[in-house]
Amino acid sequence: MDNLAFEMQEDGARNASSVGKISPFSNSEKKRQWSLVSIFLLCLLACFITTAVGVLTLSLVYLNSKPHLERETSPPHTMVSQVQKAVDPKFQFLNHLPKSKVFEFPGGAIQWARYRNNIEDYLSDEEEAFGTSLNSLRSQMTLGTLRIKSKGLRAPHWHFNANEHGYLVQGTAWIGVVDDGGEVATTYNVTAGQVIFFPKNTLHWIKNMGHDDCFFLLFFSTHDELQTLDVDDVFFSTPEDIASRSLKPEGGVNFIRNFQKQTEDQGISLPPNLAELVLNATYAQSPDSLVWRYFFDLKGSREYKFPGGVIQRAQYWKNGNELSNNEKIFSEFLHQHQNALALNTLRIYNNGLRQPHFHFNANEMGYVVSGCGKETERLKRFYIYEVEVGITDTQRTIEFNIHVGDVVFFPIGTQHYIKNTCDEDLLFVLAFSTGDQVQTLDMDDYLQATSDHILAQLFFRKQSEFKKIPRFTEDQAINLP
């Protein structure tokens, strides 16, 4: 007989046994599932960490590379300075040279109005603005003042990247120039008011022969930092055996070894025992045919007279019929050299105005030699400004006052004027960045040359009104009220 109860119990036991077997299998599955979740979470965490590290790495690379990229285009400190520095726009065109650094030497001193490669070499934001302006506008101009003490010597040297034009303000000097090959050394004397010229890479020296200081204005045809090499620096940089074989002195290399480089720069030399070192100095003058290539008697040259002043010119002339034979030598030699400059003196009388004008073919740089703007006797801290300058570019007109020792810069094509309201003459030495004849247009000339009906339409004035502007038989480039 079938025992249903037994069968049910057996089935229950089997089921119970089945259930007992199923429970351990379910826990294993759960562990496996948690393991997969853990792996997934770990992978997700690893991805997050990797991404974070990648982002951080890219950020560091970007931060490190950014200054480099900015330096290639526009230096970071320059950009900051443009934002933070509130520099008067006039200092693009004005340099208070007496406030600049004085480079002292045993025999004299030099000051510069120039561009500098290292921004830290500027003493002020204003000086930086001027130097940057010269360079960015490719002015081909740099100015330095050279003061040489009595018996001092500006050491023989040459400039890699510029012609040099000098104007002697005071004193007497003996100049030497060594020509190509060294076969001829041209020597000559200069006095106040005369001009000297040294082509690029031409060795030259300047010796003060007088009892007073020599004071030169030196203009160089570069808007980059001037590159100069002195003979003593070259000598001491040359290996002893090379110098000995080249010079072949008595005593050979031992003779060379007896020379000792001075601890103080001898750019302008004046040894304390000079009387012992030099016993028979001679100051020879070479023939005019040689001298006048490097020399021009600007003080004795033709005066171009105007109602309000006088201009004299040391430049190349296309038509040299009015020049002396010696002046023709200078004019033609000047024209043979690329990037030569033209030098002028500009004298403006009391109440005279160098009327608004511009130059077609040259930047202009000027130095105030004498006139108003000197310190008063009672108030040494203040200047009397009675010389007004104005310059007009495409955006605006900037006006400012100047005094003795200041340097001004007028870029090509910018209209400018100089007004003298003091009770004495104002004397400028001007340089122009052209080896050709300077091309200039004055305000009265271009208005007179423009048709009346064109002016009437432009200014909304009747054509007859422009008949009131007179024509003068005498040039009014420097006029009087």
Side-chain angles (χ1 to χ4, degrees):
M1 177 182 287
D2 294 331
N3 191 338
L4 293 177
F6 177 79
E7 289 179 358
M8 290 182 64
Q9 185 178 359
E10 188 179 8
D11 289 339
R14 189 182 300 117
N15 289 338
S17 176
S18 296
V19 171
K21 291 180 181 177
I22 289 172
S23 180
F25 178 78
S26 175
N27 290 336
S28 175
E29 284 293 322
K30 288 180 179 179
K31 290 180 180 179
R32 186 179 298 114
Q33 289 175 2
W34 276 109
S35 296
L36 291 174
V37 171
S38 299
I39 292 170
F40 173 77
L41 290 174
L42 286 172
C43 290
L44 185 62
L45 180 61
C47 290
F48 176 79
I49 293 172
T50 303
T51 302
V53 170
V55 171
L56 180 60
T57 303
L58 289 174
S59 299
L60 291 173
V61 170
Y62 175 74
L63 290 173
N64 287 333
S65 64
K66 187 177 180 182
H68 173 69
L69 294 173
E70 287 179 345
R71 279 197 297 271
E72 291 180 346
T73 54
S74 183
H77 57 260
T78 301
M79 296 298 292
V80 171
S81 66
Q82 289 178 352
V83 174
Q84 294 180 350
K85 297 176 183 176
V87 180
D88 192 318
K90 72 180 181 182
F91 289 108
Q92 298 174 63
F93 314 107
L94 171 65
N95 182 295
H96 290 315
L97 190 59
K99 296 182 179 179
S100 68
K101 180 178 179 179
V102 180
F103 293 85
E104 298 281 0
F105 302 89
I110 297 175
Q111 287 181 284
W112 294 104
R114 67 176 181 180
Y115 167 76
R116 297 182 181 279
N117 290 327
N118 186 353
I119 194 173
E120 302 299 329
D121 289 340
Y122 293 111
L123 290 186
S124 65
D125 296 342
E126 292 78 11
E127 192 176 68
E128 179 189 343
F130 186 81
T132 302
S133 177
L134 293 183
N135 185 260
S136 63
L137 294 173
R138 306 188 67 79
S139 65
Q140 295 185 4
M141 308 191 89
T142 288
L143 183 143
T145 60
L146 170 64
R147 186 174 296 279
I148 307 177
K149 299 175 184 177
S150 178
K151 297 182 174 57
L153 168 70
R154 175 62 183 101
H157 64 283
W158 65 91
H159 309 290
F160 293 3
N161 61 336
N163 300 299
E164 178 179 355
H165 298 251
Y167 177 89
L168 181 55
V169 177
Q170 70 175 43
T172 57
W174 187 61
I175 309 296
V177 185
V178 180
D179 293 341
D180 178 32
E183 296 180 0
V184 178
T186 301
T187 56
Y188 55 95
N189 301 310
V190 294
T191 58
Q194 296 175 326
V195 165
I196 54 179
F197 170 59
F198 306 124
K200 180 170 61 176
N201 290 320
T202 299
L203 188 143
H204 55 279
W205 70 78
I206 304 173
K207 166 75 175 181
N208 183 352
M209 303 187 307
H211 298 292
D212 299 324
D213 288 359
C214 279
F215 183 67
F216 280 92
L217 301 179
L218 303 175
F219 296 89
F220 301 88
S221 60
T222 181
H223 47 262
D224 292 320
E225 191 155 325
L226 187 65
Q227 299 174 9
T228 302
L229 199 56
D230 291 357
V231 165
D232 61 329
D233 293 329
V234 176
F235 180 86
F236 288 111
S237 297
T238 304
E240 293 173 344
D241 61 321
I242 300 299
S244 177
R245 288 188 58 178
S246 300
L247 301 176
K248 293 182 169 53
E250 291 183 20
V253 72
N254 290 326
F255 174 86
I256 302 298
R257 288 172 178 164
N258 286 330
F259 287 81
Q260 298 294 323
K261 186 173 178 62
Q262 302 297 313
T263 56
E264 194 171 6
D265 193 329
Q266 297 298 306
I268 311 175
S269 174
L270 186 57
N273 61 337
L274 181 61
E276 299 175 15
L277 301 175
V278 179
L279 299 177
N280 297 305
T282 59
Y283 302 106
Q285 178 90 1
S286 298
D288 284 351
S289 59
L290 297 177
V291 169
W292 280 79
R293 294 184 299 170
Y294 309 108
F295 165 83
F296 189 84
D297 183 13
L298 185 58
K299 178 179 62 177
S301 67
R302 177 182 172 182
E303 294 184 343
Y304 294 84
K305 297 183 178 181
F306 306 90
V310 178
I311 294 176
Q312 291 179 285
R313 300 184 170 101
Q315 63 177 40
Y316 165 72
W317 293 96
K318 292 180 180 179
N319 183 355
N321 292 337
E322 296 183 0
L323 300 178
S324 68
N325 290 333
N326 286 337
E327 289 174 339
K328 287 179 182 178
I329 294 172
F330 179 84
S331 174
E332 292 169 3
F333 188 70
L334 198 65
H335 197 55
Q336 293 173 15
H337 295 86
Q338 291 184 341
N339 299 326
L341 304 177
L343 256 61
N344 287 187
T345 54
L346 168 65
R347 185 177 297 278
I348 304 177
Y349 303 148
N350 174 35
N351 285 326
L353 169 70
R354 177 63 183 100
Q355 69 159 285
H357 64 285
F358 63 94
H359 308 292
F360 294 7
N361 63 334
N363 297 296
E364 178 181 355
M365 181 178 283
Y367 178 94
V368 186
V369 175
S370 62
C372 290
K374 299 176 182 177
E375 290 179 316
T376 64
E377 291 299 323
R378 291 182 303 162
L379 299 173
K380 290 291 185 181
R381 293 175 299 168
F382 299 98
Y383 285 99
I384 302 174
Y385 293 105
E386 293 178 297
V387 180
E388 180 182 314
V389 172
I391 177 170
T392 304
D393 58 17
T394 57
Q395 299 176 339
R396 62 201 161 186
T397 293
I398 297 175
E399 294 183 322
F400 51 89
N401 297 312
I402 56 174
H403 57 77
V404 173
D406 279 347
V407 178
V408 291
F409 169 59
F410 304 124
I412 186 171
T414 56
Q415 181 166 280
H416 53 279
Y417 65 83
I418 304 170
K419 182 182 179 183
N420 179 19
T421 58
C422 65
D423 58 0
E424 58 182 297
D425 291 356
L426 174 68
L427 178 61
F428 267 93
V429 176
L430 306 173
F432 301 88
S433 63
T434 179
D436 293 322
Q437 193 166 322
V438 180
Q439 299 174 2
T440 302
L441 191 59
D442 293 345
M443 174 179 274
D444 65 334
D445 291 330
Y446 67 70
L447 285 178
Q448 289 287 1
T450 303
S451 300
D452 289 347
H453 65 86
I454 297 297
L455 295 175
Q457 181 172 339
L458 176 64
F459 290 104
F460 289 77
R461 304 283 293 184
K462 291 183 178 180
Q463 187 174 344
S464 58
E465 288 288 300
F466 296 96
K467 301 296 183 184
K468 296 178 181 179
I469 301 176
R471 290 182 180 272
F472 294 92
T473 56
E474 189 176 17
D475 195 328
Q476 298 294 304
I478 314 174
N479 65 28
L480 288 172

